[in-house]
Amino acid sequence: MNIKHLLTEKTLAAFQQLGLTDNVNAAVTQSTRPEFGDYQINGAMAAAKLLKTNPRQLAQQLLELLDIADMAESVEIAGPGFINVKLDKNWLASQLTTAATDSRLGVAVNPTPQTVVVDYSAPNLAKEMHVGHLRSTIIGDAVVRTLEFWGDTVIRQNHMGDWGTQFGMLIAHLEDKIAAGVDLETVALADLEDFYREAKKRFDDESGFADKSRDYVVKLQSGDAHCQKLWQMFIDTSIKHSNDVYQKLNVTLTNADIKPESAYNAMLQPIVAELVAKDIAVESQGALVVFLQELADKEGTPSPFIIQKTGGGFLYSTTDLAACQYRSHELAADRIIIFTDARQALHFNQVELVARKAGYLAERTAYDHCPFGTMMGEDGKPFKTRTGGTVKLAELLEEAVVRANAVLQDKVTDLSATEMAEIARKVGIGAVKYADLSKNRTSDYIFSWDAMLSFEGATAPYLQYAYTRVRSILRKAEVAADFHAEIVIGAEQEKLLAVKLLRFEETLQQVMKEAQPNLLCNYLYELASLYMTFYEACPILKEGVEPATRDSRLMLSIFSAKLLHKGLDLLGIEVMERM
RNA sequence: GCGCCCGUAGCUCAGCUGGAUAGAGCAACGGCCUUCUAAGCCGUGGGUCAUAGGUUCGAGUCCUAUCGGGCGCGCCA
């Protein structure tokens, strides 16, 4: 059920009857104010401009041809040519009654399933995951879940950093730890951040260590068995740390989704050779470079894109080109979505240009780099990762659960300690995720413990609480799993809730198109808020409520609970029966 | 120097391909629990949408300039 889509089709049909088929835009939107109805059709004004006619007159003609008598209670022309549509309560009720019992919650079956490759999370395995990895990980996961629910074939790609120059120093350090007989699991690699710091310190201070490190990188990348073995030990441990975080975060990534940088190793040399052979790349100051005229500055100086360093080493640019080829051709992607920090915007812009020139990206493959802002400290200045300012993701999540537990302790409940711990976990993690997912900002954002761990207002706990309130009623009413009744819409609070309930698919479409889960966050908050209002205003199980009214309201409650559950699930946020 | 992103209420942010009187939450203030769960509900106050021009029936949204913040720009990723 997609009311906006339905109204758009009806409007376009009416336009067609008026002889307008090209360049017409129905411009259907949700009404901005209650007195303008539920939806407004704004297309008449732009069309009138094209035809050089009076917009109100055109709107009138359109209105007469508009076949929406069954769904609209009233249709009115207002202002310069707006068409305001107020939906009919009976129509809404009947649509809802159908949707409420649908296994897809009223969301249509995807008519054109696509293969979508989603590149997200991508931590650097040299270090532990920190708060900077949160956005990519959970936004990507929410988009993935939404695409899968819609019916696309999603291929997750965790482009982990496992091949950089730091690994020489890390494995050299590891080698010494092993020689000293230190237990790797519980001591040496228990804290990757400490391990990295130790190795870096030796690299800077200890004579001979830096040379050994550089030597080990070369050996590693040329396939030396000893170095490979050490490297593998380190990588395995680091991946385990990531998996712990994913599990805590309720993120769907698994080892099967890992396609690290090293996996593209064999493709790099042939790609460089091909780019040179095609005259796309040229030698410049000892390196191989692609000069992009498309990104030239005002003087016409092209933008350089280095694909091979002086001395033959490859860079992440080369790896990303290989990833394009693999994803577009081998995985047959219709669309590639990459979630990274905005600082890489130029890089991905260049990657796409080069990949298109060389055919690594097929024409049919859309390439969407979805950037987000750099993280700042609470003072508004860039978050320093080197000066001890790093907040480990695992620590943030632990803190969230501790704080949620503290809030829970203040409540008088009859919940067991086990239930309380489970609720604190879901509330704490949910709060962290919602705080981040609900923001659209492509600009920089400020990391704040308090904002991240807030449990009041538009937060995950609010949505979880709304869910438990509904569930509580349904438990009390002892409704059967297959409970069914006809929905009747009377009170204004019911009408507003009904319209919102029928906007789920509309919301999901937008989330997928823009790769912006914050739209789903907004929707769910509004849904929960409208349910709360309905809950306060419309008694269900109280004395004096007519059976038919009670059953209708129970149906509204059941469907609200299902949508809240599903919506939060798509965000990767868990719900509970009680809190 | 050049380029990209951004500037909306005291704070954090919404604002769907340009639409009508710019919306939430937090904070402040005032109401609502002999309870269908008060992590809630209802209400009040709070704005030159950075600034100045321009495009048009209409601009927070598009264009230009300026100011302010962040980031990027040949061998890290």
Side-chain angles (χ1 to χ4, degrees):
Chain A
M1 168 59 5
N2 188 330
I3 300 171
K4 184 174 169 175
H5 189 235
L6 190 60
L7 281 173
T8 299
E9 292 202 322
K10 300 261 189 193
T11 305
L12 290 177
F15 267 127
Q16 194 164 21
Q17 288 186 62
L18 284 171
L20 287 167
T21 50
D22 299 330
N23 295 321
V24 288
N25 186 350
V28 175
T29 66
Q30 295 175 11
S31 294
T32 51
R33 307 171 63 82
E35 59 265 39
F36 300 151
D38 303 300
Y39 283 82
Q40 51 187 67
I41 301 167
N42 301 331
M45 291 174 284
K49 197 184 222 170
L50 277 176
L51 296 176
K52 296 185 177 23
T53 61
N54 181 307
R56 271 194 79 104
Q57 251 170 36
L58 187 69
Q60 182 60 41
Q61 287 178 291
L62 202 62
L63 186 151
E64 280 159 18
L65 293 167
L66 210 51
D67 176 27
I68 56 171
D70 58 332
M71 60 192 289
E73 180 182 297
S74 69
V75 188
E76 289 169 354
I77 296 174
F82 297 100
I83 299 176
N84 293 332
V85 179
K86 191 171 182 183
L87 296 169
D88 181 71
K89 285 180 181 174
N90 292 329
W91 182 82
L92 284 170
S94 111
Q95 294 299 317
L96 260 187
T97 305
T98 306
T101 50
D102 175 18
S103 63
R104 285 184 60 80
L105 307 172
V107 175
V109 172
N110 184 349
T112 53
Q114 290 197 314
T115 297
V116 186
V117 168
V118 185
D119 175 339
Y120 68 108
S121 193
N124 180 351
L125 294 181
K127 294 184 182 179
E128 205 158 322
M129 287 181 80
H130 57 85
V131 288
H133 294 110
L134 187 64
R135 293 220 95 176
S136 175
T137 305
I138 63 180
I139 292 176
D141 206 52
V143 169
V144 158
R145 288 168 185 253
T146 307
L147 289 166
E148 282 184 337
F149 175 62
W150 173 233
D152 285 332
T153 300
V154 177
I155 303 174
R156 295 164 176 76
Q157 292 281 279
N158 195 348
H159 195 81
M160 286 176 156
D162 67 342
W163 208 235
T165 46
Q166 339 73 319
F167 286 95
M169 135 190 131
L170 293 171
I171 59 179
H173 187 49
L174 181 62
E175 183 177 50
D176 293 346
K177 287 278 184 186
I178 292 171
V182 178
D183 185 275
L184 300 184
E185 284 286 310
T186 59
V187 184
L189 296 175
D191 190 317
L192 291 175
E193 212 60 30
D194 286 347
F195 188 85
Y196 185 92
R197 253 194 297 279
E198 284 171 26
K200 182 77 170 74
K201 194 170 186 323
R202 292 184 67 189
F203 187 89
D204 293 338
D205 303 345
E206 194 177 313
S207 71
F209 188 76
D211 289 335
K212 188 176 174 187
S213 297
R214 279 188 275 267
D215 183 39
Y216 273 30
V217 179
V218 177
K219 281 188 171 176
L220 170 68
Q221 301 195 344
S222 57
D224 175 83
H226 177 62
C227 286
Q228 288 263 351
K229 193 182 156 203
L230 288 169
W231 173 79
Q232 194 62 54
M233 288 172 78
F234 185 88
I235 294 301
D236 288 347
T237 308
S238 191
I239 286 177
K240 211 148 128 200
H241 278 269
S242 301
N243 283 337
D244 284 347
V245 172
Y246 293 153
Q247 201 191 341
K248 279 186 187 145
L249 265 180
N250 188 28
V251 159
T252 59
L253 286 166
T254 68
N255 284 350
D257 306 313
I258 298 174
K259 182 80 179 176
E261 289 177 329
S262 61
Y264 295 102
N265 222 27
M267 296 172 71
L268 305 183
Q269 187 59 64
I271 281 179
V272 169
E274 186 180 357
L275 289 172
V276 170
K278 287 184 173 173
D279 289 329
I280 294 171
V282 296
E283 193 271 327
S284 169
Q285 298 170 33
L288 287 172
V289 184
V290 179
F291 289 101
L292 294 162
Q293 206 58 49
E294 294 88 338
L295 299 174
D297 63 20
K298 280 178 180 170
E299 280 77 46
T301 311
S303 171
F305 182 69
I306 302 178
I307 56 167
Q308 187 169 28
K309 309 194 260 193
T310 304
F314 301 109
L315 300 102
Y316 78 138
S317 29
T318 334
T319 309
D320 280 328
L321 288 174
C324 283
Q325 186 176 41
Y326 173 70
R327 294 166 183 177
S328 181
H329 296 286
E330 274 196 61
L331 298 180
D334 295 301
R335 184 184 182 191
I336 298 169
I337 307 177
I338 301 167
F339 292 98
T340 77
D341 189 293
R343 284 178 290 195
Q344 299 187 44
L346 173 62
H347 166 74
F348 283 108
N349 200 342
Q350 293 176 320
V351 169
E352 180 176 11
L353 283 167
V354 175
R356 295 269 180 221
K357 280 179 205 285
Y360 299 140
L361 277 177
E363 246 178 76
R364 60 179 270 237
T365 307
Y367 194 71
D368 294 339
H369 174 230
C370 301
F372 42 82
T374 309
M375 191 170 53
M376 312 293 244
E378 295 207 44
D379 56 359
K381 290 176 183 167
F383 209 81
K384 296 283 195 308
T385 50
R386 286 294 165 82
T387 55
T390 306
V391 176
K392 290 181 191 171
L393 201 37
E395 282 176 5
L396 173 71
L397 301 179
E398 277 161 30
E399 172 84 16
V401 175
V402 168
R403 289 212 196 189
N405 202 48
V407 173
L408 205 53
Q409 295 301 327
D410 291 340
K411 313 283 174 194
V412 185
T413 68
D414 57 348
L415 297 166
S416 71
T418 319
E419 281 176 298
M420 300 252 286
E422 183 68 358
I423 292 165
R425 186 184 65 76
K426 290 179 177 177
V427 167
I429 302 296
V432 167
K433 294 185 78 171
Y434 191 89
D436 208 77
L437 286 169
S438 59
K439 282 169 186 53
N440 171 41
R441 291 282 148 215
T442 49
S443 62
D444 303 330
Y445 66 105
I446 294 163
F447 174 76
S448 151
W449 284 100
D450 289 336
M452 201 65 96
L453 302 177
S454 167
F455 300 135
E456 282 180 358
T459 62
Y462 178 90
L463 300 175
Q464 291 165 325
Y465 180 66
Y467 180 77
T468 61
R469 275 185 137 181
V470 193
R471 295 299 303 166
S472 176
I473 283 192
L474 299 179
R475 264 198 312 277
K476 192 158 286 188
E478 296 181 335
V479 293
D482 61 346
F483 178 84
H484 188 266
E486 196 186 334
I487 292 173
V488 180
I489 295 167
E492 190 58 22
Q493 290 90 345
E494 292 176 298
K495 157 84 186 282
L496 292 174
L497 178 60
V499 174
K500 185 60 77 177
L501 286 167
L502 288 171
R503 285 178 173 167
F504 188 50
E505 182 178 334
E506 244 171 84
T507 306
L508 297 188
Q509 295 296 352
Q510 218 181 333
V511 168
M512 293 185 288
K513 188 177 163 209
E514 314 289 338
Q516 289 184 347
N518 68 302
L519 301 168
L520 180 55
C521 291
N522 292 347
Y523 171 82
L524 292 175
Y525 176 73
E526 284 163 8
L527 174 60
S529 181
L530 287 171
Y531 185 81
M532 293 282 201
T533 303
F534 159 80
Y535 176 96
E536 301 279 344
C538 304
I540 302 172
L541 304 177
K542 288 180 178 171
E543 290 291 314
V545 180
E546 292 291 325
T549 304
R550 183 197 63 206
D551 289 352
S552 166
R553 290 177 177 170
L554 280 173
M555 279 297 282
L556 281 173
S557 296
I558 290 169
F559 194 38
S560 296
K562 282 185 184 170
L563 277 189
L564 281 172
H565 193 335
K566 189 64 190 180
L568 285 169
D569 192 45
L570 295 180
L571 294 175
I573 294 173
E574 297 176 89
V575 295
M576 59 296 264
E577 289 298 306
R578 302 198 293 169
M579 67 187 280

